[in-house]
Amino acid sequence: MFDSAKGKGLSKEAIVKLRNSVGDLKNISGDSGDKDGGKASPEQSNNTPQTKKELLEAKRKALGDKDKTKKKSNPGVGMRIEIEKQKKAHPNDPNLTILSAILTSKDSTSTHRSTSERIDSLYSALELTGTVVMHEYLTTYSVDVLCDIYFLYLETIRTKLQDNLKIIKAAESHSIRRDIRVLNMLLEQKRLKKTISNIAKKLDGFGYPYETMSPFHIAKSFQASEEESDNRIGPGTVKLNKFLIRIYLNVFSQIPALMPMAKKICDVLPRNKHCRALIANVSIENAFMKMQVAKLNKSADLPKMITNVYNYGKKFIGLNFSETVTSSLEAKILIKIIQMVEEMAMLSSKLNPDVIIYAYNCATIALHFYQEEAKVLIRRLSDIAARQQLKLN
């Protein structure tokens, strides 16, 4: 996992030059529809009705202008040839695979391609980038590109489903509407992509965009003492390495498709108290996301999934809060426990009083770390308890 590229790869200068030439996917949308907000062209701005011929000509001109704009922003065939040429000279450099995936993703936005073709292209690009990130090249740049492609892929699938809704009978639309709801929920995680992009930009002057974080670097960083925080391991200092891995774990655990990467990282973490809390958060966040999907799908397994998340959190935290909860990491698990009790209350009019009391105790401890969120949860738990005539204080 995350092994450095075999053999001599491109120089940093060559990588920077190629990345600048290829560009990124930041301003590309998976929605292939009209982006002008319905504004009329100058030819349509007057009130004179247009003939069929004039309408066709205006449409042809608009498509031509759109293609010209794309050609200006798209590196096109020339860059594709250059990337393939570099691959022959440096067959093991993962940067070239990632740049190729960006070009494939950009090609997918062509107006001459069907939505299904765009989805196939983006899936191919996503698979390529995901394999590189998981097995050999965990850098801020590669993770940033992976997130860009992933959300572009989801947006394109949503566009196809929305188009399908227009051509099928209302009675047959239930499953499509359900899938769109799930996609909308997954696309809400785009806020996580912003976190990755900001971090990638801020760390551009360090080694992180160019040097992989290997299993050895991860393990050694989390084994290091506080006094060793400024020591360099791999692409950066212990302090920065640990910060970045925490960011990755937070993002990967909340995106189901990227969860295998979170698990790979967790597998090499030492089993100290801090790392156990990190791993527990990854597990509970992933289970929470699966529960959310099950909820949208109205799955019969939903009650069991909610109980499992609650039990996992309770088992990790236990009853001795003062010993277990010593950082915001453990406090996040408290929040998830309380949220599961809320979910239980939505499914049942009467809960076990011990469950409500335990959740309330969790909330009072969480106040020290997440004050505003905990206050809201305490009010909700008080309402649940009041319905059962249960006193919490």
Side-chain angles (χ1 to χ4, degrees), residues 180-191:
I180 290 174
R181 285 196 296 270
V182 171
L183 279 169
N184 286 338
M185 187 195 74
L186 295 175
L187 282 164
E188 286 175 7
Q189 305 301 66
K190 281 183 78 173
R191 58 185 170 75

Side-chain angles (χ1 to χ4, degrees), residues 7 40 80 149 196 202 237 255 265 277 280 291 320 339 378:
R80 177 71 74 181
I149 297 174
I196 291 291
K202 286 178 181 176
T237 64
I255 298 175
I265 293 173
M291 184 275 294
N320 196 339
Q339 289 173 335
I378 285 173

Side-chain angles (χ1 to χ4, degrees), residues 249 259 262 265-285 312 316 329 333:
L249 289 176
M259 181 58 188
I265 293 173
C266 288
D267 286 345
V268 301
L269 292 176
R271 291 308 186 258
N272 54 41
K273 186 177 187 297
H274 177 71
C275 289
R276 284 199 302 271
L278 268 177
I279 294 166
N281 266 287
V282 167
S283 298
I284 207 165
E285 286 287 3
Y312 179 87
F316 181 84
L329 272 175
I333 297 174

Side-chain angles (χ1 to χ4, degrees), residues 229-254:
S229 290
D230 294 325
N231 291 359
R232 188 179 181 88
I233 294 178
T237 64
V238 167
K239 187 194 303 180
L240 273 173
N241 289 350
K242 290 166 77 172
F243 168 76
L244 199 54
I245 289 300
R246 286 194 291 265
I247 294 289
Y248 288 156
L249 289 176
N250 182 53
V251 171
F252 295 164
S253 64
Q254 294 183 68

Side-chain angles (χ1 to χ4, degrees), residues 103-117:
L103 290 174
T104 299
S105 300
K106 287 190 173 188
D107 290 344
S108 74
T109 63
S110 169
T111 55
H112 303 297
R113 307 187 77 183
S114 69
T115 308
S116 293
E117 288 172 332

Side-chain angles (χ1 to χ4, degrees), residues 125-162:
L126 184 62
E127 193 173 37
L128 274 174
T129 310
T131 300
V132 166
V133 174
M134 177 174 278
H135 296 295
E136 56 181 311
Y137 201 54
L138 183 70
T139 70
T140 53
Y141 176 78
S142 61
V143 172
D144 191 26
V145 172
L146 177 63
C147 289
D148 285 340
I149 297 174
Y150 170 74
F151 286 107
L152 185 58
Y153 175 65
L154 292 189
E155 287 174 353
T156 308
I157 293 176
R158 182 173 63 178
T159 298
K160 180 173 175 57
L161 292 178
Q162 288 169 337

Side-chain angles (χ1 to χ4, degrees), residues 10 13 22 77 96 99 126 130 176 180 188 202 204 233 273 349 359 376:
L10 290 160
E13 292 73 21
V22 170
V77 178
L96 298 170
L99 293 173
L126 184 62
I176 293 180
I180 290 174
E188 286 175 7
K202 286 178 181 176
D204 191 52
I233 294 178
K273 186 177 187 297
S349 59
V376 172

Side-chain angles (χ1 to χ4, degrees), residues 174 178 181-182 290-303 305 347:
H174 175 72
R178 179 199 62 205
R181 285 196 296 270
V182 171
K290 288 179 179 176
M291 184 275 294
Q292 294 283 70
V293 172
K295 190 175 179 181
L296 288 174
N297 286 332
K298 297 180 179 178
S299 170
D301 291 332
L302 180 60
M305 294 175 80
L347 297 177

